Amino acid sequence: MKTAEIAQRYLDYFRKNDHVIVPSASLVTDDPALLFTVAGMVPFIPYLSGDVPAPYKRAADNQKCIRTLDIEEVGKTPRHGTFFQMLGNWSFGDYFKEGAIRFAWGLLTSPEEEGGLAFDPADLWVTVYEEDDEAHDLWLRLTDLPEERIQRLGKDTNYWSTGLPGPAGPCSEIFFDRGPAYGVDGGPATDDDRYVEIWNLVFMQYEITNVRSKYDFDIVGELPAKNIDTGMGLERVAFIKQGVDNMYETDQVRPVLDKAVELSGRTYGAVHEDDVRFRVVADHVRSSLMLLADGVTPSNDGRGYILRRLMRRAIRSMRLLGVDGPTFAELFAASRDAMKDAYPEVETDWARISQYALAEEATFLRTLASGSAILDDSLAASKAAGRSSVAGSEAFLLHDTYGFPIDLTLEIAEEAGLTVDRAAFDTLMAEQRDRAKADARSRKKQLADTSVYRALRAQGETVFTGYSDLETESRVLGILVDGHPADRATVGQIAEVVLAETALYAESGGQVADKGVIVGPGYELEVLDVQRPVPGLTSHTVEVLSGEVGVGQPATSVVDAANRRAARQAHSATHLVHAALRDTLGKTATQAGSLNRAGYIRFDFSWSQALSEATRTEIEEIANNAVRDNLEVQTRVLPLDEAKALGAMALFGEKYGDSVRMVDIGGPWSRELCAGTHVSRSSEVGLINLIGESSVGASNRRVEALVGLEAFRSLAAERALVSQLSSTLKTPREQLPARIAELTANLKAAEKRIAALEAKSLGERAPALQAAARRFGAVTVVAESLGTASSADDVRTLALQVRDRLGSDAAVVVLGAEVGGRPVVIAATNDAARATGAKAGALVKIAAGVVGGGGGGRDDVAQGGGTDAAALPAALTAVTEALSA
């Protein structure tokens, strides 16, 4: 049974049982405490927590998920994958334990011809929470499971909570017994791979508080409306139904594994270590494909870092399988073909996806080349120092700074006959993970608890009137002071105020929040920020300027009209620039992020190379032509499917409901889904002035522009500057570039002549320096400070000249100089001096330590520097003392 068929049977079964079928949310979640959708329940959190009323009583879905917590287990067990699909059915205050158990057992054990999955009940085991007698008795009554195949387990496995105050409850898990060939008898309690968990039924029935850990908390009481949250692992069911040993051999994953086998020339099933690597490649390529399809791009932080890590682990695994060259073109194509029936976007958006994948692979292959060179130097230094291992700190630097995998470091070190101080490396990695976990816990505590908004959201959605009105009369629904509900807020306090209706725009879609005030009888509030803490609810952060505001009072929201006008100009300009980019660069130049505020826009887009000056000018001209053409701006609210059919751009990572707002500028020329505020005709934008273009990652670029009056002011300032230059240089403005180029060339020529004269003058000091040589034992030493010099190269040249003048007897030359305000030290030794143990690199390190810096180099010549030029005499003295010791 194909994976897609299993998913369809699941959805069809629950559709017949009165469940609304909900499409999968993006892998990119809008929960600020999470990077990704890590579980099937994430999109339903607002409904399960009660923060937002559920729009349906029953639902079912097939949710895409990414989880990297167990990334090191990928390939080693039959069930661990980073990308997975979670089939779920949900009840919001409707059916509870009995209904969930009936539905699960019915689907699992019904014959295939009746739409079921046809599991043999004799192969199924069930676990329940040890204190949940109700669930235990229901399993006995509703199914033909014998008592011995229903096991009671503790909170660590059979109790669900988020680790935060809120809903929680016991759960019941369904396991498939793979048989004695896969492990020991005894059921799921043995925690053996023989028993594969395929479905988890969470009975969300309690409210918890005083959470001390995920399994240590106080139960306040039962929830007023009990919920059901279930999850059936699609990949786990697939590998069982397809009769293969693990999820990596299922129909959606195996093609990538087979392609890796073909490219490597090795055999799957022959060597355990190779098998793990093949599975890692198969899993990580599929996960990367799905993340790219949902708009994540490789970077050094956040979601992009996780994607980059997955891609680089796949490249590393292919290298360990003996393939040093690029493979992503073929591996990603194999994954695309395996996934396109279930997720057509991986094919329709293939040009953009493959562009990112191939660019990241090329970048990392270059990283591996440069990292190998750095490691080679480290190995050579370890051998020269007589060490048998590479320091853990050096391995960590390669890993953390250069992205060089530790496994590859270990492999190369072993080939060189050395080890790596793995304990020190692991300590540094653990410290880094602890810092990351502490940061994640901090963010979760700060951002995840939205329960304070629950009662406010229960009163209904905040109505936004600002598309048509700049003032709206309403009433105060609620007030929060210091994060807690309050009856009122007084002068000088900062508070959150929730209104039934508001004209003030809440930050979203790249558009910053409106400025303005809220006024009522006897009070005035300055609006500092406007946000949507939970879907459908708008909260105004305010400072009470005068009077006292209380819950239930009348309130009028008043938008700063000038700021809103400029914000509308900026948001419409963002759409114009996006359309101009796609017109110029092609359809793969899609939006990757934006910010627009009064007078300014910042727009990130997928592109892997810098834009030429001519291209930037063309984009700017196309956008301003659209302004000149006075195009009509229309907004329509229509079903999502209809908007997409009309070609509307839907931005990656954005959440859309069944109905969406579509913004057209010039009809289909610019057509995007957008909830922001806009001008009514393009001419109102005024002027768009591109002021910058830069890189924001290997495959993303950023353009910045000023809009409207700010654009005019910038151009006026440039005009004044050009006028001033023209007057100062007594040159017509059209001849300024040639005149400035001429002056620059003259300046460079003069600087070159001065440098040559200074170098000649410095070189003439060689005889005097030779005469200043002193004897320290068997070695002749010149250790002198030169004062200032034009460059370190001049000092190096002089040091070598003096060394050569000293002949073949043991000689050491150490010269110091101030170059550009900073101290530089050059050491040079001849063969005879090195035979006595005098090495330039070691001497430079001594001197550099005195001047507050570092340095090194070869035994014959080395360079160092620091920050304290006044310490140069002391540094030279330290060198002579070391030579005389």
Side-chain angles (χ1 to χ4, degrees):
M1 190 179 292
K2 298 291 187 183
T3 303
E5 182 186 347
I6 296 169
Q8 195 58 52
R9 282 174 176 264
Y10 184 95
L11 298 176
D12 288 345
Y13 174 84
F14 282 100
R15 183 182 287 109
K16 290 176 186 176
N17 284 284
D18 303 321
H19 288 67
V20 174
I21 304 305
V22 180
S24 174
S26 170
L27 289 169
V28 179
T29 176
D30 56 2
D31 186 331
L34 298 171
L35 288 176
F36 297 116
T37 301
V38 296
M41 55 88 69
V42 170
F44 297 94
I45 287 175
Y47 311 144
L48 295 170
S49 65
D51 292 343
V52 177
Y56 25 66
K57 288 290 188 182
R58 301 180 176 191
D61 70 334
N62 178 19
Q63 176 60 48
K64 301 178 291 186
C65 303
I66 284 282
R67 189 181 298 167
T68 57
L69 187 63
D70 298 324
I71 193 170
E72 298 298 336
E73 296 302 311
V74 171
K76 299 176 184 177
T77 75
R79 64 187 188 277
H80 279 101
T82 49
F83 171 83
F84 59 96
Q85 299 159 87
M86 188 60 70
L87 298 161
N89 60 284
W90 315 83
S91 167
F92 306 102
D94 190 15
Y95 63 83
F96 197 49
K97 292 182 185 179
E98 180 171 345
I101 291 170
R102 281 188 187 276
F103 286 137
W105 192 255
L107 176 61
L108 287 174
T109 60
S110 294
E112 289 186 11
E113 57 269 22
E114 296 178 11
L117 297 176
F119 278 91
D120 186 341
D123 292 330
L124 300 177
W125 290 67
V126 165
T127 64
V128 297
Y129 176 51
E130 57 192 357
E131 298 178 11
D132 192 356
D133 295 334
E134 181 186 5
H136 175 271
D137 295 344
L138 283 169
W139 279 111
L140 280 177
R141 178 165 64 84
L142 299 174
T143 73
D144 51 3
L145 278 171
E147 173 83 34
E148 61 270 17
R149 291 218 307 276
I150 305 173
Q151 296 185 324
R152 294 177 183 261
L153 299 177
K155 274 186 179 179
D156 58 334
T157 60
N158 279 71
Y159 205 97
W160 178 88
S161 79
T162 63
L164 292 168
C171 59
S172 180
E173 297 175 329
I174 305 171
F175 289 78
F176 177 81
D177 180 3
R178 304 170 76 198
Y182 291 93
V184 299
D185 195 7
T190 62
D191 196 26
D192 193 271
D193 281 343
R194 168 175 169 173
Y195 303 94
V196 179
E197 178 202 334
I198 56 175
W199 206 334
N200 185 17
L201 315 179
V202 175
F203 310 129
M204 211 171 288
Q205 64 185 106
Y206 298 114
E207 179 92 16
I208 63 172
T209 187
N210 297 329
V211 180
R212 294 169 288 277
S213 74
K214 194 166 185 181
Y215 309 111
D216 183 15
F217 44 75
D218 296 334
I219 296 177
V220 178
E222 293 206 345
L223 293 168
K226 300 181 180 67
N227 300 322
I228 287 293
D229 157 14
T230 85
M232 183 166 83
L234 179 54
E235 281 78 10
R236 297 186 183 192
V237 175
F239 85 70
I240 293 169
K241 294 300 294 181
Q242 292 174 21
V244 295
D245 284 342
N246 53 67
M247 62 164 287
Y248 315 102
E249 298 175 16
T250 59
D251 60 301
Q252 288 187 345
V253 188
R254 182 66 190 245
V256 186
L257 190 152
D258 289 340
K259 180 57 67 173
V261 168
E262 177 189 328
L263 293 172
S264 69
R266 300 192 186 184
T267 303
Y268 182 63
V271 179
H272 173 71
E273 290 78 8
D274 283 354
D275 289 352
V276 171
R277 290 163 186 156
F278 283 128
R279 294 170 192 154
V280 167
V281 171
D283 172 84
H284 287 9
V285 166
R286 183 172 79 139
S287 299
S288 299
L289 174 80
M290 299 308 295
L291 284 169
L292 285 164
D294 270 9
V296 182
T297 56
S299 67
N300 287 329
D301 54 26
R303 299 180 179 96
Y305 174 75
I306 300 297
L307 172 58
R308 173 162 283 169
R309 186 182 181 202
L310 290 169
M311 297 172 83
R312 291 187 169 189
R313 278 173 58 91
I315 296 168
R316 179 199 68 189
S317 294
M318 288 302 295
R319 183 184 175 105
L320 295 175
L321 287 165
V323 184
D324 292 335
T327 60
F328 273 8
E330 294 173 89
L331 292 173
F332 271 78
S335 189
R336 173 202 62 197
D337 293 342
M339 298 298 294
K340 66 184 181 182
D341 289 341
Y343 301 98
E345 61 268 24
V346 302
E347 182 173 41
T348 57
D349 200 21
W350 175 245
R352 184 189 63 84
I353 292 170
S354 60
Q355 176 187 358
Y356 279 111
L358 299 184
E360 180 63 20
E361 181 181 40
T363 298
F364 188 50
L365 289 175
R366 290 194 296 270
T367 294
L368 289 177
S370 60
S372 295
I374 295 170
L375 180 56
D376 287 343
D377 289 342
S378 182
L379 293 171
S382 295
K383 285 185 173 181
R387 297 193 299 268
S388 61
S389 67
V390 176
S393 58
E394 295 182 22
F396 180 76
L397 177 69
L398 277 168
H399 168 86
D400 193 52
T401 303
Y402 298 98
F404 200 79
I406 182 61
D407 288 356
L408 203 52
T409 299
L410 293 169
E411 177 189 351
I412 295 173
E414 184 179 0
E415 290 173 356
L418 298 175
T419 61
V420 175
D421 188 345
R422 186 62 189 265
F425 174 85
D426 289 342
T427 298
L428 291 168
M429 283 297 296
E431 290 173 355
Q432 185 188 63
R433 280 193 294 269
D434 289 344
R435 288 192 296 271
K437 287 178 180 178
D439 178 63
R441 284 194 298 268
S442 173
R443 287 192 299 113
K444 191 172 184 179
K445 287 178 181 177
Q446 292 171 13
L447 301 172
D449 186 6
T450 57
S451 60
V452 293
Y453 302 103
R454 191 177 302 162
L456 296 170
R457 181 60 181 82
Q459 298 181 55
E461 287 196 34
T462 307
V463 177
F464 176 62
T465 63
Y467 292 131
S468 57
D469 300 324
L470 295 181
E471 288 190 22
T472 293
E473 294 181 0
S474 184
R475 60 189 176 88
V476 178
L477 293 183
I479 297 173
L480 300 176
V481 177
D482 295 329
H484 301 288
D487 292 332
R488 62 195 64 254
T490 59
V491 172
Q493 283 190 307
I494 304 294
E496 289 184 65
V497 172
V498 175
L499 308 179
E501 300 89 16
T502 182
L504 291 153
Y505 184 81
E507 180 179 0
S508 64
Q511 181 175 332
V512 302
D514 273 335
K515 295 179 180 179
V517 296
I518 297 172
V519 296
Y523 70 82
E524 181 180 1
L525 317 176
E526 180 184 357
V527 177
L528 306 177
D529 194 14
V530 191
Q531 296 290 332
R532 293 191 182 97
V534 296
L537 185 77
T538 299
S539 173
H540 310 78
T541 299
V542 302
E543 180 180 359
V544 183
L545 298 180
S546 63
E548 180 179 272
V549 59
V551 174
Q553 285 187 296
T556 300
S557 54
V558 182
V559 178
D560 181 325
N563 184 75
R564 167 68 77 81
R565 186 185 310 112
R568 290 203 318 263
Q569 290 176 308
H571 205 152
S572 296
T574 299
H575 287 222
L576 296 177
V577 169
H578 190 188
L581 279 163
R582 290 169 64 80
D583 194 6
T584 306
L585 304 177
K587 302 305 180 186
T588 59
T590 52
Q591 181 171 345
S594 69
L595 171 71
N596 48 81
R597 62 172 185 261
Y600 171 84
I601 69 170
R602 186 185 74 206
F603 189 86
D604 297 346
F605 60 100
S606 55
W607 200 251
S608 58
Q609 57 191 14
L611 303 183
S612 68
E613 188 64 36
T615 300
R616 287 175 53 182
T617 300
E618 182 180 0
I619 292 166
E620 187 177 53
E621 185 172 333
I622 291 172
N624 280 295
N625 282 342
V627 173
R628 177 204 62 194
D629 292 342
N630 196 28
L631 302 174
E632 183 179 8
V633 180
Q634 289 185 318
T635 59
R636 287 179 280 170
V637 176
L638 65 170
L640 177 60
D641 291 341
E642 184 180 339
K644 287 185 175 179
L646 289 170
M649 290 283 295
L651 302 184
F652 295 116
E654 288 289 329
K655 240 182 180 178
Y656 298 104
D658 294 334
S659 294
V660 294
R661 185 169 181 263
M662 186 173 74
V663 178
D664 289 352
I665 303 179
W669 185 74
S670 169
R671 179 168 285 165
E672 298 187 27
L673 303 184
C674 179
T677 62
H678 289 274
V679 299
S680 58
R681 301 197 73 89
S682 62
S683 60
E684 295 173 37
V685 169
L687 180 65
I688 300 172
N689 176 19
L690 288 186
I691 58 172
E693 189 264 345
S694 59
S695 170
V696 283
S699 302
N700 276 345
R701 305 295 299 180
R702 169 176 293 169
V703 292
E704 296 176 272
L706 298 176
V707 180
L709 187 58
E710 290 301 318
F712 170 77
R713 286 170 177 160
S714 175
L715 292 174
E718 289 185 11
R719 180 179 62 189
L721 178 61
V722 170
S723 178
Q724 183 180 359
L725 284 172
S726 180
S727 174
T728 301
L729 298 178
K730 296 180 173 56
T731 304
R733 57 186 302 154
E734 63 273 10
Q735 296 177 18
L736 277 175
R739 177 61 174 148
I740 291 172
E742 178 188 355
L743 291 173
T744 302
N746 291 341
L747 179 60
K748 287 182 177 179
E751 288 174 344
K752 191 173 182 180
R753 288 193 298 272
I754 292 168
L757 289 171
E758 289 181 345
K760 180 181 178 183
S761 175
L762 199 62
E764 291 172 351
R765 298 178 63 177
L769 290 170
Q770 177 186 359
R774 291 177 289 167
R775 243 359 230 191
F776 291 92
V779 181
T780 299
V781 178
V782 174
E784 296 290 333
S785 177
L786 304 177
T788 59
S790 295
S791 70
D793 286 342
D794 289 346
V795 180
R796 177 188 290 262
T797 299
L798 180 58
L800 294 175
Q801 289 176 359
V802 175
R803 182 190 66 179
D804 292 343
R805 293 175 70 95
L806 292 173
S808 59
D809 291 340
V812 173
V813 178
V814 183
L815 300 180
E818 185 178 335
V819 178
R822 299 176 68 88
V824 169
V825 179
I826 304 291
T829 63
N830 62 12
D831 292 340
R834 291 193 292 277
T836 69
K839 297 180 179 179
L843 295 173
V844 156
K845 286 183 179 179
I846 294 171
V850 177
V851 295
R858 303 193 308 269
D859 291 345
D860 61 332
V861 63
Q863 177 177 328
T867 58
D868 185 6
L872 275 173
L876 297 172
T877 299
V879 170
T880 57
E881 289 175 350
L883 288 168
S884 62

